[in-house]
Amino acid sequence: MKKYNFNAGPCILDRSVIEKTAQAILDFNGIGLSLAEISHRSKDFQPVIDEAEALVKELLEVPEGYSVLFLGGGASLEFCMIPYNFLKKKAAYLNTGVWAKKAMKEAKLFGEVVEVASSADANYTFIPKGWTVPEDADYLHITTNNTIYGTEIRKDLDVPVRLIADMSSDIFSRPVDVSKYDAIYAGAQKNLSMAGVTIVIVKNDALGQAPREIPTMLDYRTHVEKGSMFNTPPVVPIYTAMENLRWMKAQGGVKAMDKLAQQRAEIVYGEIDRNKLFRGTVAEEDRSVMNLCFVMNDEYKELEKDFLDFATSKGMVGVKGHRSVGGFRASCYNAQTIEGCQALVACMKEFEKLH
Ligand SMILES: *Cc1c(COP(=O)(O)O)cnc(C)c1O
């Protein structure tokens, strides 16, 4: 049976990207060795990281003066590296979910943290509006897509301070005005690659201003200077990222990814809103086009497990919602197909007929 992968992360990648990675692991570039057993400094690997970097710059139209880094440690390590490198006295954070909260927790180790707004009281079912940022904040940190709750800030905010964003689960799904940001970071395993690499885009001249000593590995300047090769980088995930960036470019880049995301969301949210069994969990204007969260309507609550089993029997994988929201979550990252979304919708329709 054909499987449709709705996992929230690690998640779906285009089959061609997986196949090219598998080939490179068996025999890289026809050199008779595996990608996994050659030096990251070899003449065979250097072009991979160079191309990955160039493609990130091309696809996101990264302006001059920014560096693209490929690091270890996941987005979670960036929660501490960001304030380590950028927090001078005071930073502002928008609390839109568990990941935002974790980022805030780390920042508090380095200075004053102002929570500009929070939707925690409403289990993060909306993006707070109408808040202000202290003009003396060093930066405003936002989580552009809240993977667990299914809300998204799908635009580049206009605020009086520099932006820093965790874009782990929606990077490369839309054009971004990088010039508004001092840093953008993303764990790769949601829209870029397999787990193991984190992409960071930093504004070079914003570095080196924080009034503290920074351990070498946690100092972005180390990785800028060494082209992400201060130590051994995660070569296989970087290779997969390069292949995936090539794939995205061939599809028409981030504009095409954006269009596809809107189409997928229309199909799935359309059915959530139409079908009497289901309802969406978040404010309509804040709905994520990456993680589409929904639950059974109150009068059908007891059918939740049945639907999950039914969907699983039809080849749907990973549609169970996160435990802090319940219900269902259809993650529709870049490689998610229209066909996959239609298959899920067909499943929802069929289940409705049965009840
Ligand atoms: C998954 C996720 C993270 C955590 O990423 P790791 O790479 O596992 O540390 C952080 N932020 C967001 C928005 C995420 O979706």
Side-chain angles (χ1 to χ4, degrees), residues 73-77 79 99 143 145-147 166-169 185 187-190 198 333:
S76 299
L77 184 60
F79 296 161
W99 298 118
T143 312
N145 185 66
N146 298 284
T147 322
D166 174 358
M167 294 196 184
S168 289
S169 52
Y185 63 93
Q189 67 276 19
K190 285 154 192 152
T198 310
Y333 297 115

Side-chain angles (χ1 to χ4, degrees), residues 100-152:
K101 215 171 130 187
K102 287 187 175 176
M104 241 162 56
K105 175 171 181 255
E106 300 304 305
K108 284 176 185 162
L109 299 172
F110 300 92
E112 184 187 346
V113 171
V114 178
E115 182 184 80
V116 295
S118 167
S119 48
D121 288 349
N123 200 30
Y124 299 116
T125 46
F126 65 94
I127 303 283
K129 320 274 182 325
W131 37 269
T132 52
V133 190
E135 301 211 5
D136 59 346
D138 299 319
Y139 59 83
L140 170 70
H141 180 282
I142 57 171
T143 312
T144 51
N145 185 66
N146 298 284
T147 322
I148 293 173
Y149 306 92
T151 61
E152 188 174 12

Side-chain angles (χ1 to χ4, degrees), residues 54-244:
L55 283 169
V56 169
K57 287 186 169 168
E58 183 183 337
L59 291 183
L60 289 181
E61 296 181 38
V62 177
E64 288 291 307
Y66 283 78
S67 297
V68 174
L69 310 175
F70 297 93
L71 309 179
S76 299
L77 184 60
E78 302 312 310
F79 296 161
C80 110
M81 280 178 77
I82 291 293
Y84 230 137
N85 285 265
F86 290 103
L87 204 167
K88 287 172 251 174
K89 266 185 115 150
K90 182 198 281 191
Y93 279 69
L94 180 62
N95 182 3
T96 54
V98 161
W99 298 118
K101 215 171 130 187
K102 287 187 175 176
M104 241 162 56
K105 175 171 181 255
E106 300 304 305
K108 284 176 185 162
L109 299 172
F110 300 92
E112 184 187 346
V113 171
V114 178
E115 182 184 80
V116 295
S118 167
S119 48
D121 288 349
N123 200 30
Y124 299 116
T125 46
F126 65 94
I127 303 283
K129 320 274 182 325
W131 37 269
T132 52
V133 190
E135 301 211 5
D136 59 346
D138 299 319
Y139 59 83
L140 170 70
H141 180 282
I142 57 171
T143 312
T144 51
N145 185 66
N146 298 284
T147 322
I148 293 173
Y149 306 92
T151 61
E152 188 174 12
I153 304 170
R154 210 167 165 78
K155 57 177 187 255
D156 305 302
L157 298 178
D158 286 308
V159 287
V161 301
R162 301 292 297 163
L163 283 167
I164 291 184
D166 174 358
M167 294 196 184
S168 289
S169 52
D170 66 353
I171 196 165
F172 299 114
S173 76
R174 66 169 175 98
V176 171
D177 180 358
V178 176
S179 70
K180 287 186 171 181
Y181 299 81
D182 273 356
I184 292 170
Y185 63 93
Q189 67 276 19
K190 285 154 192 152
N191 239 348
L192 179 61
S193 183
M194 63 175 77
V197 68
T198 310
I199 179 181
V200 184
I201 303 170
V202 284
K203 190 165 198 286
N204 297 327
D205 65 16
L207 295 173
Q209 293 174 24
R212 65 180 64 85
E213 296 285 320
I214 305 176
T216 311
M217 272 295 281
L218 300 182
D219 190 333
Y220 289 121
R221 286 171 298 182
T222 303
H223 305 290
V224 169
E225 277 159 28
K226 300 287 181 185
S228 304
M229 296 266 200
F230 173 73
N231 70 326
T232 317
V235 292
V236 177
I238 292 172
Y239 180 86
T240 306
M242 179 204 73
E243 286 292 358
N244 197 24

Side-chain angles (χ1 to χ4, degrees), residues 285-340:
E285 70 274 17
D286 298 325
R287 280 177 165 180
S288 166
V289 297
M290 297 279 105
N291 308 98
L292 291 64
C293 295
F294 56 106
V295 291
M296 229 87 212
N297 261 323
D298 291 343
E299 58 268 46
Y300 299 102
K301 229 15 177 209
E302 78 284 359
L303 291 176
E304 207 155 278
K305 177 156 187 321
D306 287 355
F307 176 68
L308 206 58
D309 292 344
F310 182 76
T312 307
S313 77
K314 301 278 177 191
M316 308 299 134
V317 178
V319 291
K320 191 174 183 345
H322 189 277
R323 62 188 179 282
S324 50
V325 177
F328 316 101
R329 171 173 54 174
S331 294
C332 295
Y333 297 115
N334 282 348
Q336 188 62 266
T337 58
I338 297 288
E339 186 207 337

